[in-house]
Structure formats: structure tokens, C-alpha cells
């Protein structure tokens, strides 16, 4: 962990349900530990805490494009939101809101005028929501994600439920479209995009 500054000093939310920690850099959630349980999120020991860099692990904010930029592969993968300093605009015991203000989002790699916010609510479960508002006069195209890294006991033993019957794009097999049958198990490298996925996907960890 390198070059800690105010952007990298964690803010901690805590309740009887557990605790969560986040940093302003990238509006990045680092830890979520429900009361009486092990950590839900994983952060790499090799993670770099440095301005202009993305943190590996936790819940990175992917914004305003996912993967490579659709028109310019020289732009940073997964957008610029996870590399920027967000402003903490509201915080209480179990809730926090961070934002990129319109002036901040006038970034050379961002097309359009946006106001972006991330809300973190610690209740009986952790809720993280990302909202983008167009504050300009022109329409725009964008994509976003909360690219969560989960901590599991043994990836070969878990099952992922909720995607049975869905079509997915296999990015390790020439982006072929395939059909998911049953729960997902991991016994080799996997890189897939599931199309039309449901609201709830579950990791079953024995």
C-alpha cells in the first residue's frame, strides 16, 4: 500500500450488522464484514494506493465505460472514475454519499457533462448504488459497473446460482455465445459476460 494521502484514509461505517470501509479515491469500498462473519470482499496484497491508479480488489467503480473505450483503445480500461478523487458529501454512522461534481467530470477522456454519485448503506446487508445524471444539453452513451471482488474459501468449491438458462459471451473462446446449464462451478480460468442476468446472483460457499 503506497502513497497514502487524504484520498486513501479509510472512512468506516459501523452498525450492529457489521462494518464497511471505503476511501475517497475512486469512491472505492475496501472492506465489508458482517457481524460474526468473515470478510466478504477481497483486496490484493499487491494493491497500489496511488493517485491516478486503480485499486485492485474491493468494489471498484467502473465508469463511464466498461472494458476498453469503444472508440479509443488508448484511453484507460474501465474508464476514469476508479482513478479519480471523489468528494464525500454526506456521512453518518451507517450511510455515506460520494460524488464527482460536473467540473470534475469535464475530464479529457470523458465525453459529455455528468454528475455522478455513489451511495453506501450499511443495514442488514450492504447496499451500494451508483447513479449518473446528465447535466448537459446533449445525449451521451455510457456504461458502468460495480466490479466486485469477493473473498471465498476455495474457488474450486463454490457454486454461483441464479444464471441457469442464461446466455453468456465466452471471452476466452472468441466471444462465442453459449448457454448456461445449472449452477456455475470454477475449475479453470473463466471470463464471461452473462446477457440479461437477473437481479439476484448468489455465491454458495461451503
Amino acid at each position: 500500500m503506497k502513497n497514502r494521502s487524504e484520498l486513501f484514509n479509510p472512512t468506516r461505517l459501523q452498525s450492529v450488522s457489521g462494518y464497511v470501509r471505503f476511501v475517497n479515491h475512486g469512491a472505492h469500498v475496501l472492506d465489508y464484514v458482517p457481524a460474526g462473519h468473515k470478510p466478504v470482499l477481497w483486496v490484493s496484497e499487491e494493491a497500489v494506493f496511488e493517485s491516478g491508479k486503480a485499486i485492485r480488489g474491493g468494489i471498484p467503480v467502473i465508469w463511464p465505460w466498461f472494458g476498453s473505450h469503444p472508440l479509443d483503445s488508448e484511453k484507460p480500461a474501465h474508464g476514469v472514475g476508479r482513478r479519480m478523487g471523489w468528494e464525500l458529501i454526506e456521512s453518518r454512522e451507517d450511510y455515506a454519499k460520494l460524488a464527482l461534481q460536473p467540473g470534475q467530470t469535464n475530464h479529457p477522456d470523458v465525453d459529455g457533462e455528468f454528475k455522478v454519485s455513489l451511495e453506501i448503506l450499511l443495514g442488514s446487508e450492504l447496499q451500494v448504488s451508483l447513479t449518473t445524471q446528465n447535466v448537459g444539453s446533449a445525449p451521451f452513451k455510457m456504461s458502468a459497473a460495480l466490479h466486485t471482488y469477493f473473498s471465498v474459501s476455495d474457488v474450486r468449491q463454490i457454486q454461483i446460482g441464479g444464471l441457469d438458462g442464461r446466455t453468456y459471451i465466452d471471452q476466452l473462446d472468441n466471444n462465442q455465445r453459449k448457454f448456461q446449464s445449472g449452477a456455475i462451478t470454477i475449475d479453470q480460468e473463466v471470463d464471461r459476460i452473462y446477457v440479461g442476468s437477473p437481479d439476484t446472483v448468489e455465491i454458495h460457499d461451503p
Side-chain angles (χ1 to χ4, degrees):
M1 298 181 181
K2 306 174 184 177
N3 293 350
R4 286 187 178 273
S5 66
E6 288 186 3
L7 288 175
F8 299 103
N9 288 330
T11 298
R12 180 179 175 120
L13 308 179
Q14 186 156 358
S15 73
V16 294
S17 299
Y19 75 84
V20 60
R21 294 192 313 151
F22 64 90
V23 291
N24 289 27
H25 178 73
H28 198 114
V29 175
L30 296 175
D31 306 310
Y32 169 47
V33 183
H37 292 274
K38 294 181 179 179
V40 172
L41 303 178
W42 174 87
V43 175
S44 171
E45 294 181 357
E46 304 292 323
V48 176
F49 289 72
E50 185 176 303
S51 294
K53 303 288 187 180
I55 299 170
R56 186 182 179 206
I59 308 180
V61 174
I62 308 303
W63 178 91
W65 61 84
F66 185 93
S68 299
H69 189 278
L71 301 176
D72 186 352
S73 61
E74 296 299 315
K75 292 184 178 182
H78 290 323
V80 295
R82 62 185 185 153
R83 302 166 183 263
M84 299 176 70
W86 293 53
E87 181 181 350
L88 180 60
I89 60 175
E90 186 178 351
S91 180
R92 56 179 188 260
E93 184 179 69
D94 59 354
Y95 172 83
K97 184 175 183 178
L98 300 101
L100 287 177
Q101 303 299 340
Q104 290 178 274
T105 54
N106 294 337
H107 188 282
D109 290 328
V110 177
D111 301 318
E113 297 180 62
F114 309 109
K115 184 174 182 180
V116 191
S117 63
L118 183 91
E119 294 180 271
I120 303 166
L121 178 62
L122 178 62
S124 58
E125 59 187 16
L126 176 64
Q127 297 181 38
V128 182
S129 57
L130 178 65
T131 303
T132 303
Q133 179 184 0
N134 183 0
V135 295
S137 57
F140 62 85
K141 291 183 179 180
M142 61 154 290
S143 57
L146 298 173
H147 201 293
T148 309
Y149 289 73
F150 290 102
S151 178
V152 297
S153 56
D154 185 338
V155 72
R156 297 164 298 181
Q157 300 297 321
I158 68 165
Q159 291 190 336
I160 302 171
L163 294 167
D164 182 30
R166 300 285 175 170
T167 298
Y168 65 88
I169 300 167
D170 191 339
Q171 297 199 105
L172 299 180
D173 191 10
N174 297 315
N175 290 323
Q176 289 192 54
R177 288 189 173 242
K178 299 181 179 180
F179 183 79
Q180 179 66 42
S181 179
I184 300 168
T185 55
I186 309 293
D187 58 4
Q188 59 186 334
E189 184 179 358
V190 173
D191 191 348
R192 302 173 181 173
I193 299 173
Y194 281 80
V195 180
S197 58
D199 292 336
T200 302
V201 176
E202 297 179 342
I203 298 173
H204 298 276
D205 187 344

